[in-house]
Amino acid sequence: MDAKAAEMLRKSQKKRNIKKNLIAYSFIAPNFIGFAVFTLVPMMFAFLLAFLEWDGNNPIKFVGLENFKALVKDKFFLASLKNTIIYSIGTVPLTLVTSLLLAVVLNQNIKGRAFFRTLGFFPYVASLVAVTSVWTMVFHASKGPVNAILYYVFKIPKEKLPNWFAGNLVLLMLILFSVWRFMGYYMVMFLAGLQTIPKELYEAGTIDGANAWQRFRYITLPALKPTTFLVTVMLTINCFKIYDIAIMLAGGSQNTLSVSAMVLVYYIYQNAFNFWKLGYSSAVAMVLFVLVFSVTLIQFKIQENYANE
Amino acid sequence: MRSKRKLEILKKSVLYFILLIMSAIMILPFLWMLSSSVKLDREVFNMNPFVWIPKNPRWKNYVDIWTKVPFFKYVQNTVILTIVVTALQILTSSFAAYAFAKLDFKLRNKLFFAYVSTIAMPWQVYMVPQFLMMRSFGLNDRLLAIVCLQAFSAFGVFLMRQFYLTIPDSLCEAARIDGMSEYGIYLRIMLPLSKPAIATLTIFTFVATWNDYLGPLIYLKSQNKKTIQLGLKMFINQYSSEYGLIMAGSVMSLIPVIIVFLCLQKYFVEGIASTGIKG
């Protein structure tokens, strides 16, 4: 082949490649442009904003680490951080246990299995505003059925009946409500994990004389480890992002959430849209980011260890 | 042999007992909601005796919610938003996912990495800069803001791509040899094959958009722009002691989601199981 022909071949190859790339980009463009403009750009801007002082109208001031320094002394921020963490510590294990239990039960060969699986899901798809309005009624301090049972059945005097949406009980309410709402979702993930366990393992276990608990402990649990990690990470991240549940159950309105129900995302919202302290609000957002990022990182590390095993 | 049978029965009873309790916890709040929605306020909290279906069901609650607040406008806004967002999401995501799964091009892995790395980043971290940007575009207090916010998710691209990867490449190769263009392959082969993935994405997007609270709260300020969730919340605050009404509104807000969910739930369950993201 002479040089001229080779050159021509190369050129037409290059042309084809450009065309190939262009076609591919035409597929990606509609989504990518929207994604870049409305997600990537504001994401980068969020990091910058944390080091600024700005109310959205007046000139922007660069303040370095001042926002973060102020956070350390801010009792509302500390409360929101504490509440978010306590809420997560309560919600994660409870949801794990209940969703796993539900998955194990619904993995058995029982009648109406599909129906029960669908049922477990209902709280998750139902609108939050609607279901929280029921909850606030059910746990209503003076009129709700829960306190009525405490009064009529357990003979607890009226003045000692708990106010479920005030003080320390708020966090408990948030936790119970979240477990109720999310266990169906994670149940499905556990079900998927359960279905990957070979049946032969259980048969072998039964022949070796393992009882139901031993089979669960030594076959099911180890086999579910990857699923459990994934669920734990997702759950934790979702707990860090809690906001709307707190607003609905304890807030009343967007402007009056008590310190006992203050959570990180709420504090981000409040600083930005009520006080217009945009830089400060972004500093809180950075704390949220660091929390979520650490959890994700830990999960990757653990999975890596798994791969090496 | 006999004791084994007994054990089996015992096991089944324990299972059903657990199920029964779980189902009660899951369903009772909804039954209470349904029951209260046709009651007078004083009947709602009447525990002694408690009746599930009142003698004279107060259907008027369902009429009143439409006249006391612009409930129809809220529903209309939400329906428009949900349909537009879901349609855009499916179209653009599946389009992009086809390229990421079946085409070879420059920067493919880098671009896809950009998508994936943002999935772990909570929206709440950048919702404030996003708001500032949208406001500078003049999108504040417009439904379009919510569309821009929700229609181009990394999650959609990721989910569709995962599904396309399971479709054999040889199918596309054969079509290419037959002279079909890439657009043709996407439209005639990939799209029809990806019904389960589309159903999953539809239900995820539909439920998320229909139920979203924080997004509309930030962007939609004027009365005639509000979505059903914002409207219902306002309604609850305004008529905080008219429980029958509130419950009727709550029931109404659930119906569309329940219909969509029941139609597509099979795919939804598969979707969660296979992707394991978004909570």
Side-chain angles (χ1 to χ4, degrees), chain A residues 223-275:
Chain A
L224 279 181
K225 242 184 197 174
T227 315
T228 315
F229 277 130
L230 184 66
V231 170
T232 312
V233 169
M234 284 174 57
L235 249 169
T236 315
I237 291 176
N238 283 331
C239 283
F240 289 156
K241 296 192 290 192
I242 185 216
Y243 159 84
D244 34 14
I245 297 179
I247 284 276
M248 307 289 170
L249 280 183
S253 84
Q254 285 77 254
N255 307 320
T256 57
L257 200 60
S258 67
V259 181
S260 53
M262 186 78 86
V263 284
L264 278 177
V265 176
Y266 178 75
Y267 202 50
I268 297 172
Y269 176 90
Q270 194 185 37
N271 271 300
F273 300 114
N274 293 346
F275 308 146

Side-chain angles (χ1 to χ4, degrees), chain A:
Chain A
M1 207 189 289
D2 60 44
K4 212 176 165 191
E7 172 74 0
M8 266 170 76
L9 194 73
R10 212 173 54 81
K11 264 191 177 159
S12 83
Q13 187 77 37
K14 207 172 160 191
K15 236 181 176 172
R16 266 226 307 276
N17 263 337
I18 291 176
K19 199 187 159 207
K20 228 170 110 181
N21 279 339
L22 279 181
I23 290 175
Y25 290 140
S26 76
F27 271 100
I28 294 171
N31 192 282
F32 189 76
I33 292 170
F35 167 74
V37 173
F38 298 111
T39 302
L40 283 181
V41 171
M43 230 177 237
M44 287 181 244
F45 196 44
F47 291 99
L48 184 68
L49 200 55
F51 302 98
L52 306 177
E53 194 183 295
W54 194 31
D55 65 0
N57 290 316
N58 291 311
I60 301 171
K61 209 173 107 193
F62 181 79
V63 291
L65 290 172
E66 285 308 310
N67 286 329
F68 292 96
K69 278 185 194 157
L71 278 185
V72 184
K73 286 178 245 156
D74 182 344
K75 71 171 186 176
F76 289 104
F77 165 72
L78 294 175
S80 69
L81 186 63
K82 195 183 98 191
N83 289 340
T84 308
I85 290 173
I86 292 177
Y87 164 78
S88 310
I89 291 175
T91 308
V92 173
L94 258 177
T95 313
L96 268 180
V97 172
T98 48
S99 56
L100 178 60
L101 179 73
L102 208 56
V104 170
V105 170
L106 286 178
N107 198 41
Q108 312 287 326
N109 199 6
I110 44 176
K111 277 203 187 94
R113 193 165 72 166
F115 171 76
F116 286 118
R117 284 184 185 176
T118 312
L119 196 68
F121 234 92
F122 250 58
Y124 177 77
V125 284
S127 118
L128 191 68
V129 186
V131 284
T132 48
S133 65
V134 186
W135 269 67
T136 45
M137 279 167 66
V138 172
F139 288 91
H140 196 284
S142 56
K143 298 186 247 176
V146 169
N147 274 5
I149 292 171
L150 289 179
Y151 178 71
Y152 288 114
V153 182
F154 295 97
K155 307 287 178 212
I156 293 172
K158 271 226 162 89
E159 62 278 6
K160 280 197 180 156
L161 287 175
N163 183 357
W164 295 99
F165 299 105
N168 294 330
L169 285 175
V170 166
L171 279 181
L172 180 72
M173 273 291 106
L174 296 187
I175 291 169
L176 289 181
F177 179 83
S178 306
V179 175
W180 176 76
R181 186 163 165 87
F182 296 117
M183 68 177 160
Y185 186 89
Y186 295 105
M187 168 198 77
V188 175
M189 290 184 63
F190 275 123
L191 272 175
L194 283 173
Q195 264 136 38
T196 62
I197 307 176
K199 285 214 167 55
E200 296 80 41
L201 274 181
Y202 288 104
E203 282 159 18
T206 317
I207 291 169
D208 289 345
N211 63 29
W213 166 250
Q214 284 166 331
R215 270 173 293 171
F216 176 73
R217 173 72 188 76
Y218 295 105
I219 299 173
T220 313
L221 274 189
L224 279 181
K225 242 184 197 174
T227 315
T228 315
F229 277 130
L230 184 66
V231 170
T232 312
V233 169
M234 284 174 57
L235 249 169
T236 315
I237 291 176
N238 283 331
C239 283
F240 289 156
K241 296 192 290 192
I242 185 216
Y243 159 84
D244 34 14
I245 297 179
I247 284 276
M248 307 289 170
L249 280 183
S253 84
Q254 285 77 254
N255 307 320
T256 57
L257 200 60
S258 67
V259 181
S260 53
M262 186 78 86
V263 284
L264 278 177
V265 176
Y266 178 75
Y267 202 50
I268 297 172
Y269 176 90
Q270 194 185 37
N271 271 300
F273 300 114
N274 293 346
F275 308 146
W276 293 96
K277 287 159 73 177
L278 301 172
Y280 195 62
S281 142
S282 264
V284 183
M286 283 307 112
V287 175
L288 174 68
F289 170 70
V290 169
L291 280 178
V292 170
F293 192 71
S294 326
V295 173
T296 314
L297 218 60
I298 291 169
Q299 194 229 357
F300 271 115
K301 280 277 161 237
I302 290 172
Q303 272 186 342
E304 248 170 45
N305 285 347
Y306 255 98
N308 294 337
E309 247 174 39

Side-chain angles (χ1 to χ4, degrees), chain A residues 117-119 121-122 125, chain B residues 203 206-207 256-266 268-269:
Chain A
R117 284 184 185 176
T118 312
L119 196 68
F121 234 92
F122 250 58
V125 284
Chain B
I203 197 163
F206 188 95
V207 171
V257 184
I258 287 177
I259 292 173
V260 171
F261 172 66
L262 288 181
C263 293
L264 299 172
Q265 58 106 359
K266 197 181 116 223
F268 192 34
V269 170

Side-chain angles (χ1 to χ4, degrees), chain B residues 30-44:
Chain B
F30 292 103
L31 293 181
W32 160 276
M33 181 191 278
L34 209 56
S35 155
S36 305
S37 73
V38 288
K39 283 179 177 174
L40 281 168
D41 292 322
R42 59 180 162 77
E43 291 171 328
V44 169

Side-chain angles (χ1 to χ4, degrees), chain B residues 138-179:
Chain B
L139 290 176
N140 194 10
D141 201 23
R142 289 179 60 183
L143 294 181
L144 188 58
I146 305 292
V147 173
C148 297
L149 196 89
Q150 299 199 329
F152 309 101
S153 79
F155 169 74
V157 176
F158 181 78
L159 185 133
M160 295 303 293
R161 175 183 172 268
Q162 294 307 91
F163 187 82
Y164 287 160
L165 287 180
T166 65
I167 297 174
D169 285 346
S170 53
L171 222 57
C172 305
E173 287 305 330
R176 266 175 217 138
I177 290 165
D178 288 347

